[in-house]
Amino acid sequence: MELDALILSRLQFAFTIAFHIIFPSFTIGLASFLAVLEGLWLITRNEAFKALYLFWVKIFAISFGMGVVSGVVLSYQLGTNWSVFSAVASPVIGPLLAFEVLTAFFLEASFLGVMLFGWKKVGPGLHFAATTLVAIGTLISAFWIISANSWMQHPTGFTTLADGTLRAVDWWQVIFSPTFPERFAHMALAAYLTTALVVGAASAWRILRRWGQDGPQDEEASRLALRMAIGMFAIVAPLQLLVGDLSGKDVLRVQPAKLAAIEAFWETRTEQPFHIAAWPDRAAEGNRFELSIPKLGSLITAGSASAEVKGLKAFAPEDRPPVFIVFWSFRVMVGLGLLMIGLGAWGVWLLWRTRGPEYSKPFLRAAVAMGPAGFVAVIAGWVVAEVGRQPYVIYGVLRTADAVSPVGAGQVSASLLAFMVIYAVIFSVGVLYILRLIAEGPETPPQEVDEPPGNPLAAGTKGAAP
Amino acid sequence: MSLDLPLIWAGIIATAVLLYVLLDGFDLGIGILFPFAASPQERDVMMDSIAPVWDGNETWLVLGGGGLFAAFPFAYSALMPALYLPVILMLLALILRGVAFEFRHHGRTRGKAFWTAAFAGGSIAATLAQGLVLGGFIQGVTLEGRAFAGGPFDWLTPYSLLVAVGLLAGYTLLGATYLIWRTEGELQVRARRWAWISAGATAALLAVVSVATLLAHPRIAARWGFENGAFDLATLAPLAPIPLLGLVGLGVVILGIRRAHQATSLMGAYLVFLSGYIGLAVGFFPNIVPYDMDFRQAANADNALGLMLVGVVILLPAILGYTAWVYWLFRGKVGSGDAGYH
């Protein structure tokens, strides 16, 4: 494959957006978790909730900062690398992204300052309001970005003009395109699961690290957080399976080529088998190897074993998405999702039938091992969604190859290399600092025990207004 | 009812970019001044003075970029490829300095030193990159139809480098005058000295850039009444208040530094920036991609601009309101000895 500006721009976009999505998918859930913790603290005055808040807010600050700076990149990269896409699609999705900035980014950025530094400046009620507004802001942001993405996956409510640019004719159909509700629910639940897995893993690790002679030490905050995480696994993970299935039914209806790639179906037929594993080969137009269950493919995708489901050969070769990566990413995502359901069931059983999950070392170890599973599943899911809609960037309307900027391969390789180096540095350092914080744990209070930490302005405030 | 939507949006984007420059300008300026602080404690205070607000300030840059995409897609899709390398440099530099706010607190000896350097280096590089973007913009962009058709280094000229150095001096002035407002004691004394030096450098470079612009870009010069070696007083006279505003601003800066009075010097620096900003706009308005695309040619569809205007009318007052509230909440002098919530 020749490394031209197109493939380099695709690599750069995939790399920068995959890096970026790690942080929102964690901070969306974490912001809500913090709002719940602060609310519970205000109601119950149980100090363990406050300890948990003060602990997780530090991790939130690091992750949110990394999400912000990697997100700024994306708002410029559409123009630097995808200028044709920008000119063609902006009349339709431009307002969606503008609304994201206006409704979410300013809200998050401003109240984050109050959330982190405002402890001594505002009362507890107002501080709780700031945390809640940040949490709402993260969800509003997800709303707009998934709205834009859903429209690009299945565009509705627009028309194409003679000069090739698009026009919205029905904003409602653009913003709430038919596949949007399922996609938004799927992403929001994914974010909540990702956060719950990290919280569960951190709490379990903490309990394991301080394991005493007679079992777990008195770690109230960690036990509490572990139980909250188990509750989330038990409710959200099965729900995610249902929502994911709804989303899959959408794919069958509006992106049959993507569905065929997800399942590595080549022939159009009834009674499609389900491939547990396969080696799809685009050149040979078939699977070099497959491990299958007969008829189950039609049953899962279309609801009936006798349903006819299209295979990839029904589409011209130039209209087929890459199969191998889509097929396997989907299996990684679903496999991890099933493990999450299993972890939740195990945790609930331990809560119900034993002294508690904190006494089961195997469960705690499993919870630690599953800590990063949410991130992997989110990225795998995005690969399915975004690689699966190739060769189109706006499905059926604009091909990715026609969307790229008139820039040279030299510039794009330089920028891609620079992004890789700098992201590698900030990612490893960020993860290191977060792990260090997790190792310290919520039970290690900072300097002050009885008072929330102060803010940088407390010492010398003279109340001088401008 | 018929609103001139493209014109309104040109005003909104211009305001967003101006607010970005004025607000993030002092954030970046503090980063530029970081190496000159006397001690790590002083650096902590400098950073703490902007920690609660820098993220909101940088959001105006996202509104500038996202807003250009949404309101003037043809300008966005012509300018970004034209300014590819400086834009990417700016983004990478902003990443390094942005994560430094958190990372610097969590690093131990070497980590802290590294992120201190990254904050300073990132701020300097981001400022220079913005200056190169501005210089490349003023020089003009080669278009074919509505698409960029120039080379990868078109933006790199002695002129754009001069603009970049000028912006470095200007942001330093914003940072120094902000510190006069928000700090006290020895750090404030130092900030006043920084403000004197950077005010002198800003004034000198602004003058040099202005002259260079008139000499190197005849189309801008013509707007100011300089054509073919002669100059036309009738064209220049109505524009005279603009450089005058800059001189008044400089006077306010000097007064503010001498008395170390609150935000006076910062407001003076804002007048200087405003004068430069309007002065530039006079040079190329109504072009949005100098010098072949005006803002009407670049504008998005009326139904998109109209929908967004509804959003702006409702949301922008709220945004300005809570932004002002956050600044008011964190008012007063920043002390040392309390390193935030960490």
Side-chain angles (χ1 to χ4, degrees), chain A residues 61 75-76 79 81 83 90-91 107 116 121 163 167-168 411 415 433 436 456-457 462, chain B residues 48 61 65 69-70 76-77 80 84 106-108 146 152 184 300-301 303 322 329-330 341:
Chain A
S75 70
Y76 282 84
N81 295 73
S83 63
S90 169
L107 191 73
L116 299 182
K121 297 271 176 186
D163 68 354
R167 284 289 178 279
Q411 294 174 75
S415 60
Y433 291 167
R436 264 192 208 161
L457 309 182
K462 287 180 174 169
Chain B
D48 287 346
L61 182 68
F69 166 72
Y76 179 78
S77 62
M80 294 300 153
Y84 188 94
H106 295 288
R108 292 169 190 166
R146 292 194 284 205
E184 54 194 347
N300 208 340
N303 70 342
Y322 60 64
L329 192 66
F330 293 101
Y341 65 99

mmCIF file of all heavy atoms in Angstrom, chain A residues 61 75-76 79 81 83 90-91 107 116 121 163 167-168 411 415 433 436 456-457 462, chain B residues 48 61 65 69-70 76-77 80 84 106-108 146 152 184 300-301 303 322 329-330 341:
data_model
loop_
_atom_site.group_PDB
_atom_site.id
_atom_site.type_symbol
_atom_site.label_atom_id
_atom_site.label_comp_id
_atom_site.label_asym_id
_atom_site.label_seq_id
_atom_site.Cartn_x
_atom_site.Cartn_y
_atom_site.Cartn_z
ATOM 1 N N ALA A 61 -9.620 15.149 37.201
ATOM 2 C CA ALA A 61 -8.936 16.342 36.698
ATOM 3 C C ALA A 61 -7.867 15.971 35.666
ATOM 4 O O ALA A 61 -7.752 16.613 34.624
ATOM 5 C CB ALA A 61 -8.316 17.118 37.853
ATOM 6 N N SER A 75 -11.189 19.550 16.424
ATOM 7 C CA SER A 75 -11.969 20.624 15.818
ATOM 8 C C SER A 75 -11.178 21.335 14.713
ATOM 9 O O SER A 75 -11.756 22.047 13.908
ATOM 10 C CB SER A 75 -12.433 21.623 16.883
ATOM 11 O OG SER A 75 -11.344 22.364 17.367
ATOM 12 N N TYR A 76 -9.873 21.140 14.688
ATOM 13 C CA TYR A 76 -9.081 21.732 13.606
ATOM 14 C C TYR A 76 -8.713 20.716 12.538
ATOM 15 O O TYR A 76 -8.498 21.054 11.381
ATOM 16 C CB TYR A 76 -7.812 22.384 14.180
ATOM 17 C CG TYR A 76 -8.132 23.721 14.798
ATOM 18 C CD1 TYR A 76 -8.609 23.821 16.089
ATOM 19 C CD2 TYR A 76 -8.036 24.894 14.050
ATOM 20 C CE1 TYR A 76 -8.966 25.033 16.642
ATOM 21 C CE2 TYR A 76 -8.377 26.112 14.589
ATOM 22 C CZ TYR A 76 -8.842 26.178 15.891
ATOM 23 O OH TYR A 76 -9.197 27.390 16.422
ATOM 24 N N GLY A 79 -10.478 20.384 9.209
ATOM 25 C CA GLY A 79 -10.081 21.298 8.151
ATOM 26 C C GLY A 79 -8.703 21.008 7.600
ATOM 27 O O GLY A 79 -8.494 21.044 6.388
ATOM 28 N N ASN A 81 -7.051 18.192 7.446
ATOM 29 C CA ASN A 81 -6.916 16.948 6.704
ATOM 30 C C ASN A 81 -8.143 16.544 5.882
ATOM 31 O O ASN A 81 -8.037 15.734 4.979
ATOM 32 C CB ASN A 81 -6.570 15.801 7.658
ATOM 33 C CG ASN A 81 -5.219 15.990 8.299
ATOM 34 O OD1 ASN A 81 -5.069 16.838 9.169
ATOM 35 N ND2 ASN A 81 -4.228 15.261 7.844
ATOM 36 N N SER A 83 -10.637 18.735 4.282
ATOM 37 C CA SER A 83 -11.251 20.000 3.911
ATOM 38 C C SER A 83 -12.426 19.802 2.945
ATOM 39 O O SER A 83 -13.399 20.552 2.996
ATOM 40 C CB SER A 83 -10.208 20.932 3.304
ATOM 41 O OG SER A 83 -9.692 20.398 2.119
ATOM 42 N N SER A 90 -20.513 20.604 6.099
ATOM 43 C CA SER A 90 -20.769 21.624 7.110
ATOM 44 C C SER A 90 -22.186 22.193 7.088
ATOM 45 O O SER A 90 -22.753 22.446 8.155
ATOM 46 C CB SER A 90 -19.749 22.759 6.982
ATOM 47 O OG SER A 90 -20.141 23.848 7.773
ATOM 48 N N PRO A 91 -22.802 22.388 5.904
ATOM 49 C CA PRO A 91 -24.171 22.917 5.935
ATOM 50 C C PRO A 91 -25.127 22.038 6.729
ATOM 51 O O PRO A 91 -26.174 22.510 7.172
ATOM 52 C CB PRO A 91 -24.556 22.964 4.451
ATOM 53 C CG PRO A 91 -23.265 23.074 3.719
ATOM 54 C CD PRO A 91 -22.270 22.297 4.533
ATOM 55 N N LEU A 107 -19.745 25.128 29.334
ATOM 56 C CA LEU A 107 -20.337 24.712 30.608
ATOM 57 C C LEU A 107 -19.352 23.852 31.396
ATOM 58 O O LEU A 107 -19.080 24.104 32.579
ATOM 59 C CB LEU A 107 -21.618 23.923 30.309
ATOM 60 C CG LEU A 107 -22.543 23.617 31.469
ATOM 61 C CD1 LEU A 107 -23.265 24.880 31.896
ATOM 62 C CD2 LEU A 107 -23.566 22.556 31.072
ATOM 63 N N LEU A 116 -13.103 22.060 40.941
ATOM 64 C CA LEU A 116 -11.765 21.728 41.438
ATOM 65 C C LEU A 116 -11.260 22.736 42.457
ATOM 66 O O LEU A 116 -10.589 22.378 43.413
ATOM 67 C CB LEU A 116 -10.764 21.650 40.277
ATOM 68 C CG LEU A 116 -11.025 20.606 39.196
ATOM 69 C CD1 LEU A 116 -9.916 20.644 38.154
ATOM 70 C CD2 LEU A 116 -11.103 19.216 39.812
ATOM 71 N N LYS A 121 -14.880 28.664 48.153
ATOM 72 C CA LYS A 121 -15.469 29.865 47.568
ATOM 73 C C LYS A 121 -16.981 29.792 47.518
ATOM 74 O O LYS A 121 -17.652 30.809 47.488
ATOM 75 C CB LYS A 121 -14.944 30.055 46.140
ATOM 76 C CG LYS A 121 -13.464 30.290 46.072
ATOM 77 C CD LYS A 121 -13.177 31.757 46.185
ATOM 78 C CE LYS A 121 -11.681 31.991 46.215
ATOM 79 N NZ LYS A 121 -11.385 33.384 46.472
ATOM 80 N N ASP A 163 -23.489 21.870 -6.834
ATOM 81 C CA ASP A 163 -22.041 21.996 -6.634
ATOM 82 C C ASP A 163 -21.481 20.905 -5.715
ATOM 83 O O ASP A 163 -20.312 20.952 -5.333
ATOM 84 C CB ASP A 163 -21.702 23.392 -6.078
ATOM 85 C CG ASP A 163 -22.213 23.595 -4.658
ATOM 86 O OD1 ASP A 163 -22.925 22.706 -4.148
ATOM 87 O OD2 ASP A 163 -21.893 24.635 -4.055
ATOM 88 N N ARG A 167 -27.390 20.274 1.762
ATOM 89 C CA ARG A 167 -28.236 21.229 2.476
ATOM 90 C C ARG A 167 -29.184 20.448 3.372
ATOM 91 O O ARG A 167 -29.737 19.440 2.947
ATOM 92 C CB ARG A 167 -29.115 22.041 1.510
ATOM 93 C CG ARG A 167 -28.429 23.132 0.760
ATOM 94 C CD ARG A 167 -28.052 24.291 1.661
ATOM 95 N NE ARG A 167 -27.350 25.310 0.898
ATOM 96 C CZ ARG A 167 -26.054 25.267 0.577
ATOM 97 N NH1 ARG A 167 -25.309 24.248 0.979
ATOM 98 N NH2 ARG A 167 -25.505 26.211 -0.136
ATOM 99 N N ALA A 168 -29.373 20.953 4.580
ATOM 100 C CA ALA A 168 -30.375 20.337 5.446
ATOM 101 C C ALA A 168 -31.749 20.788 4.977
ATOM 102 O O ALA A 168 -31.941 21.953 4.638
ATOM 103 C CB ALA A 168 -30.150 20.767 6.884
ATOM 104 N N GLN A 411 3.824 16.524 4.689
ATOM 105 C CA GLN A 411 3.278 17.233 5.848
ATOM 106 C C GLN A 411 2.533 16.291 6.766
ATOM 107 O O GLN A 411 2.640 16.368 7.985
ATOM 108 C CB GLN A 411 2.272 18.296 5.385
ATOM 109 C CG GLN A 411 2.845 19.422 4.589
ATOM 110 C CD GLN A 411 1.718 20.312 4.083
ATOM 111 O OE1 GLN A 411 1.139 21.070 4.828
ATOM 112 N NE2 GLN A 411 1.407 20.206 2.803
ATOM 113 N N SER A 415 3.210 15.359 10.711
ATOM 114 C CA SER A 415 2.269 15.611 11.805
ATOM 115 C C SER A 415 1.881 14.308 12.496
ATOM 116 O O SER A 415 1.765 14.257 13.722
ATOM 117 C CB SER A 415 1.028 16.349 11.285
ATOM 118 O OG SER A 415 0.359 15.601 10.311
ATOM 119 N N TYR A 433 0.626 8.641 36.531
ATOM 120 C CA TYR A 433 0.159 9.480 37.636
ATOM 121 C C TYR A 433 -1.167 8.989 38.197
ATOM 122 O O TYR A 433 -1.406 9.041 39.398
ATOM 123 C CB TYR A 433 0.057 10.948 37.176
ATOM 124 C CG TYR A 433 1.392 11.618 36.909
ATOM 125 C CD1 TYR A 433 1.474 12.828 36.251
ATOM 126 C CD2 TYR A 433 2.586 11.022 37.332
ATOM 127 C CE1 TYR A 433 2.701 13.448 36.004
ATOM 128 C CE2 TYR A 433 3.806 11.628 37.084
ATOM 129 C CZ TYR A 433 3.863 12.844 36.418
ATOM 130 O OH TYR A 433 5.072 13.436 36.175
ATOM 131 N N ARG A 436 -0.475 5.951 40.275
ATOM 132 C CA ARG A 436 0.103 6.359 41.557
ATOM 133 C C ARG A 436 -0.973 6.825 42.528
ATOM 134 O O ARG A 436 -0.952 6.478 43.703
ATOM 135 C CB ARG A 436 1.065 7.527 41.331
ATOM 136 C CG ARG A 436 2.506 7.121 41.207
ATOM 137 C CD ARG A 436 3.318 8.410 41.285
ATOM 138 N NE ARG A 436 4.564 8.281 40.547
ATOM 139 C CZ ARG A 436 5.287 9.322 40.143
ATOM 140 N NH1 ARG A 436 4.865 10.549 40.382
ATOM 141 N NH2 ARG A 436 6.407 9.133 39.512
ATOM 142 N N PRO A 456 -6.159 27.576 45.466
ATOM 143 C CA PRO A 456 -4.932 28.367 45.415
ATOM 144 C C PRO A 456 -5.145 29.811 45.836
ATOM 145 O O PRO A 456 -4.184 30.512 46.118
ATOM 146 C CB PRO A 456 -4.538 28.284 43.946
ATOM 147 C CG PRO A 456 -5.787 27.960 43.223
ATOM 148 C CD PRO A 456 -6.580 27.113 44.153
ATOM 149 N N LEU A 457 -6.379 30.237 45.880
ATOM 150 C CA LEU A 457 -6.594 31.655 46.133
ATOM 151 C C LEU A 457 -6.886 31.936 47.600
ATOM 152 O O LEU A 457 -6.982 33.078 48.019
ATOM 153 C CB LEU A 457 -7.760 32.156 45.283
ATOM 154 C CG LEU A 457 -7.633 31.801 43.811
ATOM 155 C CD1 LEU A 457 -8.797 32.375 43.031
ATOM 156 C CD2 LEU A 457 -6.337 32.330 43.243
ATOM 157 N N LYS A 462 -8.024 39.096 49.089
ATOM 158 C CA LYS A 462 -8.359 40.390 49.654
ATOM 159 C C LYS A 462 -9.715 40.865 49.160
ATOM 160 O O LYS A 462 -10.146 41.967 49.468
ATOM 161 C CB LYS A 462 -7.298 41.423 49.255
ATOM 162 C CG LYS A 462 -5.995 41.222 50.011
ATOM 163 C CD LYS A 462 -4.996 42.254 49.587
ATOM 164 C CE LYS A 462 -3.735 42.164 50.433
ATOM 165 N NZ LYS A 462 -2.679 42.992 49.862
ATOM 166 N N ASP B 48 -1.288 28.921 39.485
ATOM 167 C CA ASP B 48 -2.545 28.911 40.239
ATOM 168 C C ASP B 48 -3.436 30.097 39.874
ATOM 169 O O ASP B 48 -4.658 30.014 39.979
ATOM 170 C CB ASP B 48 -2.257 28.947 41.751
ATOM 171 C CG ASP B 48 -1.725 27.607 42.245
ATOM 172 O OD1 ASP B 48 -1.836 26.624 41.493
ATOM 173 O OD2 ASP B 48 -1.191 27.562 43.373
ATOM 174 N N LEU B 61 -11.052 29.231 21.592
ATOM 175 C CA LEU B 61 -10.315 28.758 20.409
ATOM 176 C C LEU B 61 -11.102 27.664 19.698
ATOM 177 O O LEU B 61 -11.119 27.594 18.463
ATOM 178 C CB LEU B 61 -8.935 28.226 20.827
ATOM 179 C CG LEU B 61 -8.027 27.746 19.698
ATOM 180 C CD1 LEU B 61 -7.573 28.899 18.829
ATOM 181 C CD2 LEU B 61 -6.825 27.006 20.251
ATOM 182 N N GLY B 65 -12.434 27.840 15.903
ATOM 183 C CA GLY B 65 -12.231 26.808 14.877
ATOM 184 C C GLY B 65 -13.530 26.131 14.492
ATOM 185 O O GLY B 65 -13.880 26.036 13.306
ATOM 186 N N PHE B 69 -15.698 26.413 10.955
ATOM 187 C CA PHE B 69 -16.185 25.227 10.240
ATOM 188 C C PHE B 69 -17.693 25.328 9.997
ATOM 189 O O PHE B 69 -18.179 25.051 8.904
ATOM 190 C CB PHE B 69 -15.858 23.981 11.068
ATOM 191 C CG PHE B 69 -16.580 22.728 10.631
ATOM 192 C CD1 PHE B 69 -16.230 22.081 9.445
ATOM 193 C CD2 PHE B 69 -17.593 22.183 11.402
ATOM 194 C CE1 PHE B 69 -16.883 20.930 9.045
ATOM 195 C CE2 PHE B 69 -18.266 21.028 10.999
ATOM 196 C CZ PHE B 69 -17.910 20.399 9.824
ATOM 197 N N ALA B 70 -18.413 25.764 11.022
ATOM 198 C CA ALA B 70 -19.868 25.738 10.943
ATOM 199 C C ALA B 70 -20.448 26.938 10.200
ATOM 200 O O ALA B 70 -21.481 26.826 9.559
ATOM 201 C CB ALA B 70 -20.463 25.667 12.350
ATOM 202 N N TYR B 76 -12.847 27.845 6.142
ATOM 203 C CA TYR B 76 -12.214 26.820 6.975
ATOM 204 C C TYR B 76 -11.476 25.807 6.112
ATOM 205 O O TYR B 76 -10.315 25.470 6.371
ATOM 206 C CB TYR B 76 -13.312 26.159 7.796
ATOM 207 C CG TYR B 76 -12.912 25.037 8.717
ATOM 208 C CD1 TYR B 76 -12.303 25.299 9.942
ATOM 209 C CD2 TYR B 76 -13.189 23.708 8.390
ATOM 210 C CE1 TYR B 76 -11.984 24.267 10.813
ATOM 211 C CE2 TYR B 76 -12.877 22.672 9.252
ATOM 212 C CZ TYR B 76 -12.275 22.959 10.458
ATOM 213 O OH TYR B 76 -11.970 21.928 11.312
ATOM 214 N N SER B 77 -12.142 25.340 5.035
ATOM 215 C CA SER B 77 -11.526 24.279 4.241
ATOM 216 C C SER B 77 -10.457 24.820 3.299
ATOM 217 O O SER B 77 -9.738 24.043 2.693
ATOM 218 C CB SER B 77 -12.588 23.488 3.468
ATOM 219 O OG SER B 77 -13.265 24.335 2.571
ATOM 220 N N MET B 80 -7.280 25.982 6.549
ATOM 221 C CA MET B 80 -6.620 24.949 7.354
ATOM 222 C C MET B 80 -5.561 24.168 6.577
ATOM 223 O O MET B 80 -4.448 23.994 7.076
ATOM 224 C CB MET B 80 -7.654 23.995 7.973
ATOM 225 C CG MET B 80 -8.560 24.651 8.989
ATOM 226 S SD MET B 80 -7.636 25.344 10.370
ATOM 227 C CE MET B 80 -8.746 26.643 10.869
ATOM 228 N N TYR B 84 -1.443 24.321 7.333
ATOM 229 C CA TYR B 84 -1.391 22.994 7.961
ATOM 230 C C TYR B 84 -0.326 22.896 9.061
ATOM 231 O O TYR B 84 -0.630 22.601 10.218
ATOM 232 C CB TYR B 84 -1.129 21.935 6.878
ATOM 233 C CG TYR B 84 -1.238 20.507 7.368
ATOM 234 C CD1 TYR B 84 -2.431 19.807 7.253
ATOM 235 C CD2 TYR B 84 -0.153 19.853 7.949
ATOM 236 C CE1 TYR B 84 -2.545 18.507 7.698
ATOM 237 C CE2 TYR B 84 -0.258 18.548 8.408
ATOM 238 C CZ TYR B 84 -1.453 17.878 8.280
ATOM 239 O OH TYR B 84 -1.565 16.590 8.736
ATOM 240 N N HIS B 106 1.669 16.428 39.878
ATOM 241 C CA HIS B 106 1.818 15.019 40.224
ATOM 242 C C HIS B 106 3.231 14.514 40.004
ATOM 243 O O HIS B 106 3.590 13.458 40.505
ATOM 244 C CB HIS B 106 0.819 14.173 39.424
ATOM 245 C CG HIS B 106 -0.607 14.477 39.780
ATOM 246 N ND1 HIS B 106 -1.167 14.096 40.974
ATOM 247 C CD2 HIS B 106 -1.585 15.156 39.120
ATOM 248 C CE1 HIS B 106 -2.430 14.512 41.022
ATOM 249 N NE2 HIS B 106 -2.701 15.160 39.913
ATOM 250 N N GLY B 107 4.024 15.277 39.227
ATOM 251 C CA GLY B 107 5.387 14.841 38.975
ATOM 252 C C GLY B 107 6.238 14.973 40.235
ATOM 253 O O GLY B 107 5.988 15.835 41.067
ATOM 254 N N ARG B 108 7.235 14.095 40.349
ATOM 255 C CA ARG B 108 8.188 14.261 41.449
ATOM 256 C C ARG B 108 9.294 15.158 40.924
ATOM 257 O O ARG B 108 9.019 16.051 40.135
ATOM 258 C CB ARG B 108 8.678 12.890 41.907
ATOM 259 C CG ARG B 108 7.515 12.133 42.569
ATOM 260 C CD ARG B 108 7.831 10.679 42.824
ATOM 261 N NE ARG B 108 6.601 9.992 43.235
ATOM 262 C CZ ARG B 108 6.457 8.675 43.275
ATOM 263 N NH1 ARG B 108 7.459 7.897 42.929
ATOM 264 N NH2 ARG B 108 5.321 8.140 43.649
ATOM 265 N N ARG B 146 -12.481 27.307 -4.868
ATOM 266 C CA ARG B 146 -12.621 27.574 -3.438
ATOM 267 C C ARG B 146 -11.605 26.787 -2.608
ATOM 268 O O ARG B 146 -11.643 26.820 -1.396
ATOM 269 C CB ARG B 146 -14.043 27.233 -2.984
ATOM 270 C CG ARG B 146 -15.069 28.191 -3.591
ATOM 271 C CD ARG B 146 -16.401 28.103 -2.904
ATOM 272 N NE ARG B 146 -17.167 26.914 -3.290
ATOM 273 C CZ ARG B 146 -18.491 26.846 -3.217
ATOM 274 N NH1 ARG B 146 -19.185 27.860 -2.775
ATOM 275 N NH2 ARG B 146 -19.127 25.750 -3.569
ATOM 276 N N PRO B 152 3.269 23.760 0.758
ATOM 277 C CA PRO B 152 3.216 23.504 2.200
ATOM 278 C C PRO B 152 3.893 24.578 3.067
ATOM 279 O O PRO B 152 3.595 24.685 4.243
ATOM 280 C CB PRO B 152 3.927 22.159 2.352
ATOM 281 C CG PRO B 152 4.704 21.965 1.107
ATOM 282 C CD PRO B 152 3.984 22.712 0.031
ATOM 283 N N GLU B 184 0.957 39.792 44.401
ATOM 284 C CA GLU B 184 1.451 40.875 45.251
ATOM 285 C C GLU B 184 2.884 40.559 45.648
ATOM 286 O O GLU B 184 3.433 39.515 45.292
ATOM 287 C CB GLU B 184 0.555 41.012 46.493
ATOM 288 C CG GLU B 184 0.389 39.717 47.250
ATOM 289 C CD GLU B 184 -0.750 39.771 48.251
ATOM 290 O OE1 GLU B 184 -1.239 40.885 48.523
ATOM 291 O OE2 GLU B 184 -1.140 38.724 48.765
ATOM 292 N N ASN B 300 -21.861 29.669 5.101
ATOM 293 C CA ASN B 300 -22.677 28.472 5.070
ATOM 294 C C ASN B 300 -24.097 28.828 4.606
ATOM 295 O O ASN B 300 -24.443 30.001 4.481
ATOM 296 C CB ASN B 300 -22.709 27.839 6.468
ATOM 297 C CG ASN B 300 -22.923 26.343 6.399
ATOM 298 O OD1 ASN B 300 -23.405 25.812 5.410
ATOM 299 N ND2 ASN B 300 -22.552 25.651 7.466
ATOM 300 N N ALA B 301 -24.901 27.778 4.393
ATOM 301 C CA ALA B 301 -26.287 27.965 3.970
ATOM 302 C C ALA B 301 -27.046 28.801 5.000
ATOM 303 O O ALA B 301 -26.778 28.716 6.198
ATOM 304 C CB ALA B 301 -26.956 26.605 3.812
ATOM 305 N N ASN B 303 -29.987 28.486 6.158
ATOM 306 C CA ASN B 303 -30.753 27.775 7.193
ATOM 307 C C ASN B 303 -29.841 27.266 8.305
ATOM 308 O O ASN B 303 -30.253 27.177 9.459
ATOM 309 C CB ASN B 303 -31.629 26.665 6.583
ATOM 310 C CG ASN B 303 -30.829 25.487 6.058
ATOM 311 O OD1 ASN B 303 -29.627 25.591 5.838
ATOM 312 N ND2 ASN B 303 -31.498 24.375 5.850
ATOM 313 N N TYR B 322 -21.951 33.090 33.044
ATOM 314 C CA TYR B 322 -21.284 32.222 34.022
ATOM 315 C C TYR B 322 -19.760 32.332 33.942
ATOM 316 O O TYR B 322 -19.077 32.112 34.941
ATOM 317 C CB TYR B 322 -21.800 30.783 34.036
ATOM 318 C CG TYR B 322 -21.703 29.955 32.782
ATOM 319 C CD1 TYR B 322 -20.472 29.620 32.234
ATOM 320 C CD2 TYR B 322 -22.841 29.447 32.177
ATOM 321 C CE1 TYR B 322 -20.391 28.803 31.114
ATOM 322 C CE2 TYR B 322 -22.773 28.648 31.063
ATOM 323 C CZ TYR B 322 -21.546 28.333 30.526
ATOM 324 O OH TYR B 322 -21.463 27.544 29.422
ATOM 325 N N LEU B 329 -15.772 34.942 41.109
ATOM 326 C CA LEU B 329 -15.597 34.015 42.227
ATOM 327 C C LEU B 329 -14.118 33.892 42.616
ATOM 328 O O LEU B 329 -13.779 33.834 43.797
ATOM 329 C CB LEU B 329 -16.145 32.648 41.808
ATOM 330 C CG LEU B 329 -16.325 31.581 42.875
ATOM 331 C CD1 LEU B 329 -17.398 32.018 43.852
ATOM 332 C CD2 LEU B 329 -16.726 30.265 42.219
ATOM 333 N N PHE B 330 -13.261 33.853 41.632
ATOM 334 C CA PHE B 330 -11.830 33.667 41.904
ATOM 335 C C PHE B 330 -11.077 34.992 41.889
ATOM 336 O O PHE B 330 -9.900 35.039 41.548
ATOM 337 C CB PHE B 330 -11.223 32.677 40.903
ATOM 338 C CG PHE B 330 -11.757 31.291 41.077
ATOM 339 C CD1 PHE B 330 -12.734 30.783 40.232
ATOM 340 C CD2 PHE B 330 -11.295 30.483 42.107
ATOM 341 C CE1 PHE B 330 -13.241 29.502 40.404
ATOM 342 C CE2 PHE B 330 -11.793 29.203 42.291
ATOM 343 C CZ PHE B 330 -12.773 28.712 41.434
ATOM 344 N N TYR B 341 -6.212 21.945 44.985
ATOM 345 C CA TYR B 341 -6.931 20.826 45.563
ATOM 346 C C TYR B 341 -6.076 19.565 45.565
ATOM 347 O O TYR B 341 -6.532 18.520 45.950
ATOM 348 C CB TYR B 341 -8.201 20.577 44.756
ATOM 349 C CG TYR B 341 -7.905 20.145 43.362
ATOM 350 C CD1 TYR B 341 -7.944 18.813 43.008
ATOM 351 C CD2 TYR B 341 -7.516 21.088 42.398
ATOM 352 C CE1 TYR B 341 -7.628 18.411 41.745
ATOM 353 C CE2 TYR B 341 -7.209 20.689 41.145
ATOM 354 C CZ TYR B 341 -7.262 19.354 40.810
ATOM 355 O OH TYR B 341 -6.932 18.969 39.552
#
